[in-house]
Amino acid sequence: MTYQEVIAMVEEMGLPYAYDHFAEGESPEPPFLVFLFPRSNNFSADGKVYQKINQLQLELYTDRKQPNLEKRVEVVLDSHDLFYDKSEVWIPDEKLYELLYTTEIIYEEDN
């Protein structure tokens, strides 16, 4: 997937989103998404990067538990044939739930 393809996939989820974070004071009301590529898990051959593989983290923030919204996000991930792990945490200071979807994508450069 290219960066633009990841953005298009996130847009299918129908929520406000940003890469890594929203600018100070510009965070929308929940629910919203944040995505980032925190690390790579590249495949090597002959001492070189043979295949670029990036971890993709998709963070869904909500102010209450919303199973139907989680399902909407998961349907999009499933439609792109992405295997993912999911975790959930309550952030007391923010009064938000963070649902973290972690997956890996074969990363391709945008042309």
Side-chain angles (χ1 to χ4, degrees):
M1 295 180 94
T2 66
Y3 180 76
Q4 291 304 317
E5 289 171 332
V6 171
I7 289 175
M9 178 182 69
V10 170
E11 286 177 346
E12 290 176 40
M13 298 170 187
L15 295 167
Y17 68 89
Y19 182 82
D20 190 53
H21 66 281
F22 287 91
E24 184 74 29
E26 293 184 14
S27 179
E29 291 295 315
F32 59 88
L33 296 164
V34 173
F35 74 98
L36 62 147
F37 302 105
R39 74 181 96 190
S40 65
N41 187 20
N42 295 333
F43 180 76
S44 67
D46 298 325
K48 297 180 182 181
V49 174
Y50 178 76
Q51 182 67 66
K52 291 181 181 180
I53 302 171
N54 282 355
Q55 183 183 70
L56 170 61
Q57 287 186 350
L58 181 65
E59 302 167 2
L60 171 62
Y61 292 94
T62 61
D63 55 358
R64 59 184 164 68
K65 184 72 173 166
Q66 297 188 43
N68 288 337
L69 183 57
E70 293 172 40
K71 183 175 181 177
R72 180 170 42 162
V73 169
E74 292 166 15
V75 164
V76 172
L77 293 172
D78 292 341
S79 74
H80 288 270
D81 298 324
L82 293 174
F83 173 83
Y84 54 87
D85 288 314
K86 175 181 170 182
S87 62
E88 179 178 325
V89 65
W90 171 251
I91 305 170
D93 293 346
E94 302 291 330
K95 296 186 171 121
L96 292 174
Y97 285 101
E98 177 196 63
L99 283 94
L100 175 62
Y101 294 89
T102 305
T103 188
E104 289 185 336
I105 61 165
I106 295 176
Y107 188 76
E108 301 171 13
E109 301 292 328
D110 286 312
N111 293 328

